[in-house]
Amino acid sequence: MYERYTNLTRYENVGINRRFNLADGHAHQGQNSTQQEIVTDLPKIFYAAEATLQRESEEEFQQVFYRLAGQHSAIHSPRTMLCYSASLATDLVATYLSSRSLSVGLLQPCFDNLATILRRRQVELVPLGEAQLGPDSIDDTFAGMTTDAVFLTLPNNPTGFTYDEAQFKHLVELCVTHRKILILDCTFRFFVTTPFWDQYAVLEDSGVSYLVVEDTGKTWPTQDLKCSILASSADLYEQVLELHNDILLNVSPFILRLLSAYVNDTARSGLEKSIWRTISQNRDHLRESLRGTILVPEFPDSTISVEWIRISHPTVRSEEIVELLGKAQVGILPGNHFYWADHDTGSNFVRFALARRSDWFADSCRYLRTVLLSNSVLMP
């Protein structure tokens, strides 16, 4: 019998205490040379935050974040709320939906805390598979949809599923036509390596009712000092803001100024050098370590900071892989919980996190390769 937990966060909690933590998707890739300078300047950042109005720290963070993301129409948006974490922002969304007895079509696979948070607020959920939302089926999906809202993660953790500009516009048009609230989790947005385009302009021009969750915690290695932005359409803003005011006065101005420094540093260095290169190198190391085993990358073109791996064996399941590697001090996540409405469907997958320091990750993959080759269960 393999040790099983009730959710992915618990598996992450176990994984972060393994010698080789490849479990949680937070940013642990270490400081590059210019980020080291930011760390050296922490006292200056602290005292600057102390001497600055809260509004100024908030405005600076929002402006540099959206500018780097290519979301120019949101740079000066007055309809944003800052939160300590994306989970808190999601809980605000769930509380709003619950207060109006609104049902949600939620993407699967996705990280299961989205479903958990919504269910805890007693929001009725219906699973939406990625295939149902593809270009050949999305019209029929919306035509038969009975929920009040659609909740998607773009790009999706763990698969990397996302939309190009034309597909996104069509999604928004369908939400307007069928009177659906569109809820987006964009917390992995900076790992999309194609040119950015202004999603908020599409949302605003369409008149769709929307809520969008942004976050820094998956992108910059700030020891989980992070900030989430919850953005809203005009028709929902005052209602959600009231909920926000009930639980949160402000995000620490020190954290906001620290994050602004990291975002500005990335803007100067470029996303390729600051973010993408490390993830790409780590993905290559991981794929080489898995070569010739029953663990096969499911999406060869993925660019996000996690790797979704299919178990190419008729009887070996994700919990077994997690347990075997856990005994060797390698922490990863089982795929079953990503399929929050149907765990069996996800039992053929596991997930590896890639946002780690490159030299450490290369050593981890060499060790992982040794573990894999020495275990007959993991070989074809």
Side-chain angles (χ1 to χ4, degrees):
M1 177 64 66
Y2 297 100
E3 191 170 26
R4 299 181 181 182
Y5 302 109
T6 57
N7 58 66
L8 290 170
T9 302
R10 181 70 186 279
Y11 279 100
E12 286 186 325
N13 185 262
V14 172
I16 63 176
N17 290 297
R18 303 289 191 202
R19 180 183 173 192
F20 300 98
N21 168 28
L22 305 179
D24 73 280
H26 293 198
H28 302 299
Q29 61 265 45
Q31 311 296 312
N32 62 32
S33 58
T34 52
Q35 290 169 345
Q36 289 173 15
E37 295 175 9
I38 297 174
V39 175
T40 300
D41 284 341
L42 285 178
K44 293 181 182 178
I45 294 171
F46 183 93
Y47 288 117
E50 198 172 50
T52 304
L53 288 175
Q54 177 72 23
R55 182 187 69 253
E56 293 173 359
S57 296
E58 292 174 350
E59 289 176 350
E60 179 189 13
F61 169 71
Q62 177 169 316
Q63 290 170 20
V64 299
F65 180 94
Y66 279 133
R67 187 174 292 114
L68 180 65
Q71 306 303 303
H72 300 291
S73 63
I75 288 174
H76 299 290
S77 173
R79 288 183 272 100
T80 56
M81 295 152 277
L82 302 187
C83 301
Y84 296 129
S85 68
S87 294
L88 176 56
T90 302
D91 192 43
L92 286 171
V93 172
T95 303
Y96 167 76
L97 295 169
S98 177
S99 69
R100 268 74 182 169
S101 299
L102 300 175
S103 57
V104 175
L106 176 63
L107 186 65
Q108 87 161 0
C110 71
F111 201 86
D112 69 345
N113 77 323
L114 297 180
T116 300
I117 290 170
L118 290 161
R119 282 172 167 163
R120 185 174 295 121
R121 296 297 182 184
Q122 299 182 331
V123 176
E124 178 187 346
L125 297 182
V126 174
L128 289 174
E130 290 179 348
Q132 293 174 265
L133 298 166
D136 296 332
S137 53
I138 190 170
D139 290 85
D140 290 339
T141 298
F142 269 80
M145 191 178 296
T146 59
T147 59
D148 302 298
V150 178
F151 195 147
L152 308 181
T153 52
L154 299 176
N156 190 23
N157 166 26
T159 65
F161 171 85
T162 194
Y163 288 125
D164 62 25
E165 185 172 5
Q167 292 167 338
F168 185 81
K169 287 181 177 178
H170 187 56
L171 166 70
V172 173
E173 289 168 359
L174 287 171
C175 288
V176 173
T177 299
H178 294 278
R179 301 177 63 85
K180 307 297 182 186
I181 299 173
L182 179 58
I183 305 165
L184 299 175
D185 177 327
C186 296
T187 57
F188 281 79
R189 72 155 61 249
F190 289 105
F191 297 103
V192 175
T193 57
T194 52
F196 295 160
W197 43 274
D198 197 339
Q199 296 164 312
Y200 285 86
V202 175
L203 294 169
E204 286 292 314
D205 291 346
S206 72
V208 70
S209 298
Y210 72 84
L211 294 163
V212 181
V213 177
E214 309 277 4
D215 191 41
T216 64
K218 309 301 188 298
T219 307
W220 289 280
T222 53
Q223 294 290 311
D224 282 327
L225 297 173
K226 54 191 176 181
C227 180
S228 175
I229 303 175
L230 176 57
S232 173
S233 56
D235 58 320
L236 306 182
Y237 177 66
E238 290 297 333
Q239 302 159 71
V240 179
L241 177 62
E242 184 177 351
L243 300 173
H244 181 273
N245 288 341
D246 285 341
I247 61 172
L248 181 64
L249 173 62
N250 64 284
V251 173
S252 161
F254 169 69
I255 291 177
L256 293 176
R257 291 189 69 88
L258 173 66
L259 293 173
S260 295
Y262 272 84
V263 176
N264 279 324
D265 175 74
T266 297
R268 289 188 295 269
S269 300
L271 284 160
E272 164 64 32
K273 179 180 178 182
S274 184
I275 306 295
W276 299 340
R277 186 179 302 171
T278 296
I279 302 303
S280 178
Q281 291 172 347
N282 289 351
R283 179 174 277 108
D284 289 343
H285 283 303
L286 177 63
R287 290 180 177 180
E288 179 60 26
S289 73
L290 301 181
R291 182 174 48 83
T293 74
I294 64 172
L295 302 180
V296 181
E298 181 72 354
F299 297 101
D301 297 327
S302 176
T303 60
I304 64 170
S305 60
V306 297
E307 185 82 330
W308 192 232
I309 299 294
R310 176 170 47 85
I311 304 167
S312 60
H313 191 284
T315 60
V316 177
R317 294 293 177 260
S318 58
E319 298 95 334
E320 185 174 359
I321 301 294
V322 171
E323 179 78 6
L324 288 171
L325 293 183
K327 289 180 178 178
Q329 286 299 303
V330 178
I332 64 171
L333 296 187
N336 54 353
H337 286 283
F338 286 91
Y339 282 82
W340 52 268
D342 179 18
H343 286 185
D344 286 345
T345 302
S347 64
N348 294 321
F349 297 95
V350 291
R351 197 201 76 174
F352 288 78
L354 303 175
R356 303 293 188 269
R357 200 177 70 241
S358 291
D359 56 347
W360 180 92
F361 195 87
D363 289 342
S364 300
C365 286
R366 282 189 286 270
Y367 174 75
L368 174 63
R369 179 75 177 169
T370 300
V371 172
L372 296 174
L373 293 178
S374 65
N375 198 311
S376 59
V377 173
L378 302 173
M379 301 304 294

